[in-house]
Amino acid sequence: MEILERPAAGSLYEAAELLGIPASGIVKTLVVKRSDDTYLFALVPGGRSISWPKLRAVVGVNKLRLPEPDLALAATGYERGTIVPIGSTTAWPVFADESIVGQRIAMGAGAHGYSLFVDADDLIAAYDATVADISVPEEPRA
């Protein structure tokens, strides 16, 4: 595991450029709210977004949503854009997109302007993450 300081980035694509890696090398940690007010972490590579039908099927529920920023902060202790399962105030279940298996990835490091590099397989093992196809390619940017 390695933490690197980097200049502020306005987007995931800009952060990837600053780090000299492809956008898919940055994994977004998205905190997702269940209808019972519990949460989960979804690890999705850059250039992809959550497939809600796929994630609902894997989790076994019919309602999931992204929480408001204040709820995400309360659930994890991190602001949006810095969320990471490591050090979260609550150890919510982790669901990792299967495309990150075997990769060295960059992700949020709990504070703006920093990136955490970690082997995805180590992260998956440490958090007993469920690995599944939970993402879809993002729409191309105009």
Side-chain angles (χ1 to χ4, degrees), residues 42-68:
L43 305 181
V44 178
R48 300 186 71 81
S49 57
I50 290 175
S51 166
W52 293 106
K54 290 177 183 178
L55 185 59
R56 286 192 302 266
V58 171
V59 176
V61 298
N62 58 13
K63 280 193 168 179
L64 293 171
R65 70 177 183 89
L66 294 176
E68 293 74 16

Side-chain angles (χ1 to χ4, degrees), residues 99-140:
S99 66
I100 71 170
V101 171
Q103 306 292 317
R104 181 156 175 83
I105 58 171
M107 55 194 322
H112 294 287
Y114 293 89
S115 292
L116 169 71
F117 284 82
V118 64
D119 288 321
D121 295 355
D122 292 343
L123 185 70
I124 289 165
Y127 288 88
D128 195 24
T130 299
V131 176
D133 175 10
I134 60 168
S135 72
V136 292
E138 287 180 350
E139 293 297 316

Side-chain angles (χ1 to χ4, degrees), residues 31-34 37 39 52 63-68 71:
V31 63
V32 176
K33 186 177 183 296
R34 300 181 203 208
D37 291 332
Y39 295 83
W52 293 106
K63 280 193 168 179
L64 293 171
R65 70 177 183 89
L66 294 176
E68 293 74 16
L71 292 178

Side-chain angles (χ1 to χ4, degrees), residues 68-87:
E68 293 74 16
D70 59 323
L71 292 178
L73 176 61
T76 64
Y78 294 125
E79 292 179 22
R80 276 215 183 128
T82 70
I83 295 173
V84 63
I86 300 165

